Amino acid sequence: MDNKPIRVLLIEDSVFATQYTKKMLVEAKSPQFSVELSCVDRVSLGLEHLTENGTDIVLLDLTLVDSDGLETFTRVHDHAPQVPIVVMSGLEDERLALDAVQQGAQDYLVKGRVTSSLLKRSILYAVERKQVELKVAGLNRELERRLREIELVSKELEAFSYSVSHDLRAPLRAIDGFSQILLEDHREGLDKEGRRVIDVIRDNTRRMGELINDLLTFSRQGRKEIIKKDIDMEKMVKDIFKELTVLDSEPRIKIKVNILPPAHADQALIRQVLINFLSNAIKFSGNEKSSLVEVGGRLEKDENIYYVKDNGVGFDMKYSDKLFGVFQRLHSQEEFKGTGVGLALVQRIIHRHQGRVWAEGKVNKGATFYFSVPLREGTRKEKEK
């Protein structure tokens, strides 16, 4: 606070109490504390003063000629909610004091026990607390405004995604369809290079279709409601790995599933995370002579941590911050197919669960991808015991 006088309005109809308060304020005066005091003896006059004059704080008696009890406080508070109020009552009533504070009073002082130091401290604290309250209220309003803006932008982006997907899919289907007609009906008129070019066109249209689907999934993810339940992670991992390798007549990749603690999370979303991690492990270790995917987990503090490890091509850790960004790829499309959206989707899912996601790797020595899920509330309490 600066050294300007604090503008105090005293609403008090007792001459003795008014004189005593003036005396206490004079005694409390110091280079760091001085007041500019105005006195009225009715609520109606106090409200007029608040309307016409600048006021930093109100010292308020509850029993007046034109008002009584908490109604007195309510009238003043509702008229000038931005001005802090310290109640000064002749009643030593704990219930009344509690009610006044709950309705917004900064303090409740009993007149017979007021000293100059107590009054000074109460005024300073009340003014400072009110300033903080008003600042917090302003920040909350700004936050609410920005959240509304973000929600509006999110809805606009979702509508844009639907529109773009619809507008792009039609020409993509046309390109793919006419390319197929060329190959089937006019194959004899095409040389080897012509057929190769058409195959490239069809491959790229399929990739574009996959990219559109992934982007739509990514854009919708933030609006999907999370429904948490206990998940048997070992069973889910084994089922997903079986689905991903079902077409391999002679399995090229083996999996080792260690003990996995059950997760309390959205089953469909965690399944999406594991599908992404496991399919990446299979993809990036598929060229190894002896490929192994290892999945494990552990309980650590207030969360379960899970990992998927492979012995594939790995990556340089200096690029680890790019892994979970949209369209960020550390390998070319020619080396390994993909759209560059999957890990960004994983990160969004795990962050919505208030978890963490990260990765470790070395070039040509494999990679390990981690994610964590907070423990169920009841489990945390049991663990604390």
Side-chain angles (χ1 to χ4, degrees):
M1 293 183 63
D2 54 35
N3 293 328
K4 291 182 180 180
I6 299 173
R7 297 166 298 180
V8 178
L9 172 62
L10 175 63
I11 306 178
E12 171 65 73
D13 61 0
S14 166
V15 176
F16 174 77
T18 299
Q19 293 301 321
Y20 184 78
T21 301
K22 289 180 178 180
K23 179 184 176 184
M24 292 298 100
L25 290 173
V26 170
E27 290 180 3
K29 186 176 180 180
S30 69
Q32 293 76 35
F33 178 79
S34 62
V35 301
E36 183 182 293
L37 182 64
S38 301
C39 303
V40 296
D41 60 1
R42 286 174 172 76
V43 168
S44 56
L45 296 175
L47 300 183
E48 289 179 10
H49 182 93
L50 286 168
T51 301
E52 298 171 0
N53 302 277
T55 303
D56 296 317
I57 186 171
V58 173
L59 303 180
L60 178 65
D61 183 22
L62 296 181
T63 306
L64 301 167
V65 174
D66 58 346
S67 187
D68 185 57
L70 282 176
E71 180 191 353
T72 307
F73 172 81
T74 302
R75 289 176 63 185
V76 177
H77 183 266
D78 290 350
H79 185 81
Q82 76 283 1
V83 178
I85 300 172
V86 171
V87 173
M88 296 182 63
S89 174
L91 299 175
E92 191 171 349
D93 186 330
E94 291 185 2
R95 182 70 258 175
L96 180 62
L98 181 61
D99 289 343
V101 171
Q102 287 179 337
Q103 292 189 29
Q106 295 293 324
D107 205 350
Y108 184 99
L109 304 179
V110 179
K111 292 178 184 178
R113 297 187 175 183
V114 175
T115 64
S116 58
S117 60
L118 175 61
L119 184 57
K120 173 183 177 181
R121 185 168 66 248
S122 182
I123 290 173
L124 289 174
Y125 284 0
V127 171
E128 289 178 1
R129 278 198 300 268
K130 194 64 177 181
Q131 289 174 345
V132 171
E133 286 177 9
L134 293 174
K135 185 175 182 180
V136 170
L139 291 173
N140 285 335
R141 286 193 297 272
E142 177 65 15
L143 178 60
E144 289 174 1
R145 184 186 67 79
R146 293 190 179 186
L147 287 174
R148 287 193 296 270
E149 289 179 354
I150 291 171
E151 185 177 1
L152 179 61
V153 170
S154 178
K155 289 180 179 178
E156 290 175 348
L157 283 174
E158 187 173 359
F160 176 75
S161 297
Y162 279 113
S163 175
V164 167
S165 67
H166 181 272
D167 292 343
L168 286 179
R169 278 173 171 167
L172 279 176
R173 283 194 296 267
I175 293 170
D176 186 60
F178 283 114
S179 299
Q180 186 174 0
I181 291 171
L182 280 174
L183 285 176
E184 293 177 354
D185 298 349
H186 303 278
R187 176 176 289 275
E188 295 180 359
L190 296 169
D191 60 12
K192 184 178 179 180
E193 177 63 14
R195 290 193 295 271
R196 187 192 70 81
V197 170
I198 292 176
D199 285 336
V200 170
I201 292 172
R202 297 197 68 202
D203 284 343
N204 278 276
T205 56
R206 280 193 291 270
R207 181 168 173 257
M208 187 67 176
E210 292 172 1
L211 182 59
I212 290 171
N213 289 334
D214 286 349
L215 281 174
L216 279 174
T217 302
F218 184 77
S219 67
R220 292 169 182 158
Q221 195 57 63
R223 302 181 67 82
K224 187 182 187 313
E225 181 184 1
I226 290 180
I227 302 174
K228 293 184 179 181
K229 60 185 293 186
D230 291 335
I231 304 170
D232 185 338
M233 295 291 282
E234 291 185 33
K235 183 177 185 305
M236 181 177 282
V237 166
K238 291 175 181 177
D239 289 345
I240 292 172
F241 186 79
K242 185 177 181 180
E243 292 170 10
L244 293 174
T245 57
V246 69
L247 296 179
D248 292 344
S249 55
E250 296 182 7
R252 300 170 293 108
I253 301 173
K254 294 182 179 180
I255 186 169
K256 177 183 178 183
V257 182
N258 299 316
I259 295 175
L260 294 172
H264 185 68
D266 187 294
Q267 184 165 323
L269 295 182
I270 295 301
R271 180 179 175 81
Q272 228 172 338
V273 170
L274 288 172
I275 287 174
N276 195 286
F277 277 179
L278 286 169
S279 60
N280 277 352
I282 292 170
K283 177 170 63 176
F284 291 113
S285 60
N287 296 329
E288 301 298 317
K289 292 182 179 179
S290 177
S291 299
L292 176 67
V293 175
E294 180 182 340
V295 184
R298 65 183 183 272
L299 171 64
E300 189 171 295
K301 295 182 179 179
D302 59 351
E303 63 182 1
N304 285 328
I305 296 177
Y306 304 93
Y307 68 86
V308 176
K309 182 179 181 181
D310 66 68
N311 62 343
V313 296
F315 62 89
D316 192 329
M317 281 296 289
K318 69 181 180 181
Y319 301 117
S320 61
D321 59 324
K322 295 184 177 181
L323 283 171
F324 298 95
V326 181
F327 301 136
Q328 296 292 335
R329 291 173 52 85
L330 302 188
H331 303 279
S332 69
Q333 179 70 20
E334 289 71 25
E335 291 178 290
F336 299 98
K337 292 184 178 181
T339 59
V341 178
L343 289 179
L345 181 62
V346 164
Q347 179 172 256
R348 176 172 286 192
I349 290 172
I350 296 304
H351 283 179
R352 290 194 67 206
H353 280 80
Q354 284 76 55
R356 301 178 293 133
V357 59
W358 69 100
E360 298 172 354
K362 289 184 178 180
V363 176
N364 297 322
K365 292 189 177 181
T368 306
F369 284 80
Y370 300 85
F371 71 93
S372 71
V373 177
L375 297 178
R376 180 164 47 89
E377 192 62 34
T379 307
R380 292 184 193 179
K381 293 179 180 178
E382 291 172 9
K383 184 172 177 286
E384 290 171 359
K385 290 180 181 179

